[in-house]
């Protein structure tokens, strides 16, 4: 049961991360800065405990690509759930089966099977239902947060494909690359947006937000370690399905703590998107 509990813990941390992100934003720390702080903790922990990983990352350009994909994933997802409707952002993030099929065909040379086409069709149908306005009309993205959810899912699909390509690399080097990307890319993005006047600079240190950000950083490190532990001991199909509990945690807490409501279209579209993810997990396993 320990690997299963590790996966549930990982899903719980990501599923409720919207709440501390919003509290930090209320105290002036934008989600891109918060993401950089979270992953700086991971860089310190892994970099100090496994110093040899630095040399491996520096010598492997493909690990730089992994860092970029992981950084884009985390910056987009965290910014999306901090500012938008949590369940919509998470569901659009989990359109990953669509991107995974296309990226595996492009980067790994995998054939697109009828089963893969079915998964793509289910996921896209779910997205159409989720994005269709309540008063009817064509599906439409409702602000930046929806786009960020979509971009985060694309980044996550890239991350997964790259992890498959880099399966022979040392685990500490892969983890260091991913945490480094989660630190560097949001920091650069924050500086660019700050220069354009779209993001405020980080606020002066205050005990509340500093302690909350450091605590979340440690939780992200722990959840990553739990994921690594579980993924090495469970079949892919089991790991992927259990990780979908993140959607449940996000939905329950956004309704309970955030005052959001789950409409019938969101529930129906979400069911199709999750069905596509479950079928992808079964086929990969």
């Amino acid at each position: 049961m320990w690997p299963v509990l590790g996966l549930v813990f990982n899903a719980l941390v990501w599923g409720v991360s919207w709440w501390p992100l919003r509290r930090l934003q209320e105290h002036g720390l934008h989600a891109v800065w918060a993401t950089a702080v979270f992953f700086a903790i991971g860089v310190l922990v892994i970099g100090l405990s496994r110093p040899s990983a630095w040399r491996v990352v520096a010598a492997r350009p493909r690990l730089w690509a992994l860092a970029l994909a992981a950084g884009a994933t985390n910056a987009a997802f965290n910014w999306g759930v901090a500012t938008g409707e949590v369940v919509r952002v998470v569901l659009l993030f989990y359109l990953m089966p669509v991107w995974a099929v296309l990226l595996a065909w492009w980067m790994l040379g995998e054939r697109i099977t009828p089963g893969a086409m079915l998964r793509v069709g289910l996921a896209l149908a779910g997205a159409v239902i989720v994005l269709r306005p309540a008063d009817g009309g064509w599906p439409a993205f409702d602000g930046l947060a929806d786009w960020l959810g979509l971009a985060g899912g694309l980044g996550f699909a890239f991350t997964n494909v790259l992890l498959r390509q880099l399966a022979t690399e040392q685990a500490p080097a892969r983890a260091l690359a991913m945490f480094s990307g989660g630190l560097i890319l949001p920091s650069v993005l924050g500086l660019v947006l700050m220069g354009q006047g779209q993001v405020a600079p980080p606020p002066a240190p205050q005990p509340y937000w500093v302690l909350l950000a450091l605590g979340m950083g440690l939780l992200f490190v722990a959840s990553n370690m739990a994921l690594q532990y579980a993924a090495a001991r469970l079949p892919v199909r089991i790991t992927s399905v259990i990780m979908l509990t993140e959607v449940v945690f996000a939905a329950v807490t956004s309704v309970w703590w955030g005052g959001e409501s789950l409409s019938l279209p969101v529930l129906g579209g979400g069911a199709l998107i999750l069905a596509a993810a479950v079928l992808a997990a079964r086929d990969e396993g």
Side-chain angles (χ1 to χ4, degrees):
M1 287 297 295
W2 288 112
V4 173
L5 291 175
L7 289 176
V8 173
F9 171 70
N10 177 267
L12 176 64
V13 170
W14 282 99
V16 304
S17 62
W18 65 271
W19 189 88
L21 282 164
R22 292 188 180 185
R23 302 292 79 76
L24 290 168
Q25 190 141 294
E26 289 172 359
H27 283 75
L29 190 70
H30 191 277
V32 292
W33 301 127
T35 301
V37 174
F38 297 165
F39 286 89
I41 305 299
V43 171
L44 287 174
V45 170
I46 299 173
L48 293 176
S49 62
R50 298 294 181 90
S52 61
W54 289 107
R55 292 192 297 273
V56 178
V57 172
R60 304 284 198 278
R62 285 197 300 176
L63 286 172
W64 307 347
L66 177 63
L68 180 63
T73 299
N74 290 290
F77 179 83
N78 288 347
W79 190 357
V81 296
T83 57
E85 188 177 332
V86 175
V87 175
R88 283 173 65 98
V89 173
V90 173
L91 287 175
L92 291 170
F93 179 84
Y94 272 102
L95 283 176
M96 191 184 66
V98 175
W99 315 126
V101 167
L102 299 176
L103 291 173
W105 168 68
W106 173 42
M107 298 174 65
L108 303 177
E110 294 185 0
R111 186 171 60 89
I112 299 179
T113 64
M117 292 302 298
L118 172 63
R119 298 195 300 269
V120 169
L122 283 173
L124 291 178
V128 167
I129 295 173
V130 169
L131 294 174
R132 190 170 186 269
D135 55 355
W138 290 99
F141 285 88
D142 186 17
L144 177 62
D146 283 358
W147 287 104
L148 289 169
L150 191 72
L154 178 58
F156 192 37
F158 260 114
T159 300
N160 285 343
V161 172
L162 288 169
L163 283 172
R164 289 167 63 184
Q165 287 187 329
L166 297 167
T168 58
E169 296 288 352
Q170 301 173 17
R174 294 197 305 267
L176 181 60
M178 294 173 70
F179 276 103
S180 296
L183 164 63
I184 295 171
L185 190 139
S187 298
V188 172
L189 178 62
L191 290 172
V192 171
L193 294 175
M194 186 175 69
Q196 297 175 349
Q198 298 183 38
V199 168
Q206 297 174 354
Y208 176 86
W209 78 254
V210 170
L211 290 175
L212 180 57
L214 291 177
M216 284 302 299
L218 292 173
L219 278 176
F220 276 119
V221 172
S223 69
N224 181 270
M225 294 173 64
L227 176 61
Q228 299 279 351
Y229 170 82
R233 291 164 174 80
L234 292 173
V236 173
R237 64 182 182 276
I238 302 298
T239 300
S240 300
V241 170
I242 294 175
M243 286 177 64
L244 294 176
T245 56
E246 176 189 340
V247 180
V248 178
F249 291 128
V252 171
T253 56
S254 65
V255 171
W256 188 12
W257 300 341
E260 293 186 4
S261 59
L262 298 177
S263 64
L264 189 58
V266 168
L267 290 172
L272 292 177
I273 293 171
L274 295 182
V278 171
L279 287 174
R282 187 193 66 180
D283 288 352
E284 290 174 5

